[in-house]
Amino acid sequence: YDLSFAGNRYQINDFADCAQRISFIEFLHNKLGSKFGLFGSGYNKSKYFNVRRTESVKELNDIYNQSICIFNISHYNNTSHYFSDRLLTCLASGRPVISYKFPNYESYFTHGSDILIAESKDEIISLLNFCKENPEKANEIGLNGYKKVKAEHTYFSRVMELLFLTRLR
């Protein structure tokens, strides 16, 4: 795949930005066709012809590693500092990740160094094309993302952050 996304489709009112995420997924499917790998449940298979469920994290990692880029978008895109564990799984694969923007992402990641941040649907396609045209830079960004997750986003680092936030450490 040129671009892969793994995440379930929920009802529009289930999460704050569910409709936005569905809109992005539909856009990418229409734009990329069979080059867009979509993995999860809840999608209409007649409309999303390449939807698959993954059985394991290893299988998903294999799919990511066979993709040029990975896409990430949350159900809460306007919540400061929020990202789901999906983003960390994507980054840990070592492939370049294009993530839809979220407030204060700069506290954790650096656009163009360990992640690619898109501010619009069209920018996702532009960043994907950049990676296709610059595979060495794309691989560097992917490797940097992996290194960032390994160094700064472990369970230990999350626990320490929570202890700091709760003033217990």
Side-chain angles (χ1 to χ4, degrees), residues 80-99:
S80 181
H81 296 90
Y82 174 81
F83 59 88
S84 72
D85 60 339
R86 174 188 312 97
L87 178 57
L88 298 178
T89 302
C90 294
L91 289 163
S93 74
R95 296 303 307 141
V97 174
I98 301 170
S99 183

Side-chain angles (χ1 to χ4, degrees), residues 48-66:
Y48 299 93
F49 58 88
N50 57 347
V51 177
R52 288 189 12 202
R53 292 192 68 153
T54 55
E55 300 302 320
S56 69
V57 174
K58 182 191 179 317
E59 181 184 8
L60 184 59
N61 189 60
D62 291 344
I63 291 163
Y64 285 164
N65 279 283
Q66 295 169 19

Side-chain angles (χ1 to χ4, degrees), residues 5-35:
F5 174 78
N8 297 326
R9 184 186 193 279
Y10 297 96
Q11 297 300 314
I12 288 179
N13 295 325
D14 286 353
F15 300 100
D17 293 328
C18 195
Q20 181 184 38
R21 181 159 121 173
I22 291 168
S23 173
F24 273 67
I25 298 306
E26 289 176 350
F27 169 81
L28 293 169
H29 176 264
N30 290 334
K31 197 79 165 166
L32 300 173
S34 64
K35 294 290 187 179

Side-chain angles (χ1 to χ4, degrees), residues 4 7 13 19 22 35-36 39 41 49 56 64 72 75 78 83 98 125 127 135 138-139 148 150 155 158-160 166:
S4 292
N13 295 325
I22 291 168
K35 294 290 187 179
F36 180 55
F39 302 88
S41 64
F49 58 88
S56 69
Y64 285 164
N72 176 71
H75 281 119
N78 294 310
F83 59 88
I98 301 170
I125 301 301
L127 290 168
N139 288 336
K148 174 78 63 113
K150 187 175 179 185
Y155 285 112
R158 288 287 82 81
V159 168
M160 295 308 291
T166 58

Side-chain angles (χ1 to χ4, degrees), residues 1-5 61 63-72 86-100 109-118 124 126-147 149:
Y1 302 103
D2 284 359
L3 189 65
S4 292
F5 174 78
N61 189 60
I63 291 163
Y64 285 164
N65 279 283
Q66 295 169 19
S67 302
I68 294 173
C69 292
I70 304 165
F71 178 59
N72 176 71
R86 174 188 312 97
L87 178 57
L88 298 178
T89 302
C90 294
L91 289 163
S93 74
R95 296 303 307 141
V97 174
I98 301 170
S99 183
Y100 184 62
F109 309 106
T110 304
H111 172 68
S113 176
D114 50 43
I115 196 169
L116 297 166
I117 298 294
I124 298 164
S126 295
L127 290 168
L128 173 61
N129 289 333
F130 169 82
C131 288
K132 289 168 70 173
E133 294 164 7
N134 301 279
E136 287 181 15
K137 180 64 176 169
N139 288 336
E140 178 185 324
I141 292 168
L143 181 60
N144 289 343
Y146 161 77
K147 289 177 180 177
V149 168

